[in-house]
Amino acid sequence: MSEAQNYSGCNQPTKEMVESYPMITGTPITESPDYDPLHFWQNRDPRFTSTIAYNGCKWELSGKKDRIQWTYQGHSTLNPSSSGFYCRKAINVSYTPYYTERSSTDWIEIRFTEVLMNYAECAAENGKSDEAYEVLKRIRQRAGIEAGSNGMYGLKANMSHDEMIAAIMLERKIEFAYEGKRYWDLRRRRMFASEMNGTRRHGLLPKLKISPVEFDKIKDNIDIDKDYTTYFKDSVVVLDQKYEINFQNNYYFYAIPNKHLETNSKLEQTQDWDNGTFNPYE
C-alpha cells in the first residue's frame, strides 16, 4: 500500500467476500443478467464501493484528489495485497502515511443498524416474517439499493423460516463487514460447518498485459470501465495454501484452562475437551 507507513492492508477482502455483495437491484450476482465478472465492480450494492478497494478504483488517500488505487502484481512493494483487494472501512482518507502508524480509531461496539438486525433475527425466529422483511427493506433502502417495481429491494418474496434466517445472516455479513461481527455470527449460530468447512479462500490478482514502464505513462488516463481488459488479466489465486478451513465442533465452546480446574475440584471440563463432561447446553 503506497499511502501507508509500516502497517497497511491488514484486512484484505477475499474473492468470496467480494462476490457476497448483490447488484444495485439487490439481486445476487449469480442471478443477475447484468453481472459482468470481468467488470465485477459495476452496478453493485453501494456498500461494495464503500467497503472494497479494487484495482483501478478511485480512492483519494492522503487527501490526494482523483487518486487511483492499483493492486496489480508488482505495483507495490510495501505490504501488497495478496488477494487483490483492500478494505476501505475505518480509513481516514485525509491522513498522510506518517499518521497511518500514529493514529487511532474509536471502536464502535454496536450501532443502530445492528439493533435493527438483532430485532429482525428475533422476529424471524418467532414467525414474524413481515417484521423481519421490513427491517431488511429499511437497511437496503438506506444502503442505496433500488426498490424495484415490487418494492422488495431484491429480496425473495414469501421466504421460509430458513430462507429468512439465511437472508438476515447474509445482510449482516455485508452490512457489518470488517466490524468484528462475522466470526461471532458464524459461531453463535453454529454455521462454520455449513458455511466454511472444507473450503479455501481465494483472491483475484490483476496482472498487467503491457510493461509497467509503458503503463506508468498512460495509467492516469485509463477508463477501467471501458479499457480494463485491454491492460489487465485477473487470475484467481488460492489464499489458504496449506489447509482447508476445518472448524471443529468443540471450538464452539472454549475449554476451561487447567489452572482453573486444578484450583477448583468441582469444575468440570467442557465436553469434547480432554475427557470433559460439562454440557454448556444444560
Side-chain angles (χ1 to χ4, degrees):
M1 170 69 75
S2 60
E3 300 298 322
Q5 181 171 308
N6 296 329
Y7 301 97
S8 67
C10 292
N11 286 327
Q12 298 177 3
T14 62
K15 179 176 179 286
E16 287 78 11
M17 184 65 207
V18 167
E19 292 175 345
S20 297
Y21 291 85
M23 303 296 286
I24 186 70
T25 59
T27 306
I29 62 173
T30 54
E31 300 175 14
S32 174
D34 297 324
Y35 177 67
D36 178 0
L38 297 178
H39 301 86
F40 55 84
W41 58 87
Q42 294 178 344
N43 304 312
R44 301 293 292 277
D45 178 338
R47 289 172 293 187
F48 171 88
T49 305
S50 299
T51 307
I52 308 295
Y54 52 90
N55 190 45
C57 73
K58 182 183 289 188
W59 198 11
E60 298 177 329
L61 296 177
S62 299
K64 295 178 179 179
K65 181 175 174 55
D66 296 327
R67 176 187 175 276
I68 302 299
Q69 178 65 55
W70 301 107
T71 65
Y72 60 84
Q73 289 178 292
H75 171 68
S76 176
T77 58
L78 179 60
N79 294 334
S81 172
S82 59
S83 71
F85 303 102
Y86 291 110
C87 175
R88 303 177 71 147
K89 274 193 176 179
I91 300 294
N92 188 328
V93 296
S94 68
Y95 280 171
T96 61
Y98 175 85
Y99 286 106
T100 61
E101 185 181 10
R102 297 166 176 82
S103 62
S104 60
T105 300
D106 290 337
W107 179 257
I108 300 174
E109 181 60 34
I110 190 170
R111 51 191 177 94
F112 184 55
T113 305
E114 187 174 1
V115 175
L116 294 178
M117 288 298 298
N118 291 347
Y119 173 78
E121 190 175 343
C122 291
E125 290 288 18
N126 285 279
K128 300 179 180 180
S129 60
D130 289 345
E131 295 178 33
Y133 265 116
E134 184 59 29
V135 170
L136 290 177
K137 289 178 184 179
R138 287 179 62 185
I139 290 173
R140 288 194 161 202
Q141 180 186 40
R142 177 181 177 272
I145 288 179
E146 297 171 354
S149 58
N150 60 358
M152 292 293 289
Y153 295 89
L155 297 168
K156 178 182 175 181
N158 302 313
M159 284 190 277
S160 66
H161 166 271
D162 289 349
E163 289 174 328
M164 177 59 77
I165 292 298
I168 289 170
M169 299 314 292
L170 175 60
E171 203 69 24
R172 288 182 65 93
K173 177 182 179 181
I174 295 167
E175 178 67 26
F176 305 132
Y178 305 103
E179 295 181 34
K181 306 294 181 181
R182 181 63 175 170
Y183 169 80
W184 298 106
D185 281 349
L186 291 173
R187 188 172 179 181
R188 68 185 174 82
R189 296 201 66 98
R190 302 180 71 90
M191 292 171 58
F192 272 102
S194 60
E195 293 285 323
M196 303 296 294
N197 280 3
T199 67
R200 296 175 189 258
R201 293 165 295 183
H202 298 81
L204 196 65
L205 287 183
K207 295 181 180 179
L208 273 174
K209 290 183 176 181
I210 64 174
S211 73
V213 174
E214 291 301 313
F215 184 71
D216 282 342
K217 297 176 182 178
I218 60 175
K219 65 181 182 181
D220 293 335
N221 298 313
I222 289 178
D223 182 346
I224 64 168
D225 288 323
K226 296 179 180 179
D227 302 323
Y228 189 83
T229 56
T230 301
Y231 299 102
F232 298 101
K233 177 178 175 58
D234 291 339
S235 299
V236 177
V237 295
V238 179
L239 300 178
D240 297 309
Q241 290 284 335
K242 195 170 184 179
Y243 300 111
E244 293 180 344
I245 296 173
N246 186 21
F247 191 94
Q248 298 295 304
N249 190 62
N250 59 328
Y251 295 171
Y252 286 111
F253 290 96
Y254 291 124
I256 298 176
N258 286 332
K259 64 179 181 180
H260 298 316
L261 294 172
E262 293 167 358
T263 302
N264 187 343
S265 62
K266 294 185 180 298
L267 285 177
E268 298 177 41
Q269 182 58 277
T270 309
Q271 280 185 350
D272 300 322
W273 290 94
D274 297 329
N275 300 313
T277 56
F278 173 65
N279 184 352
Y281 288 109
E282 294 181 350

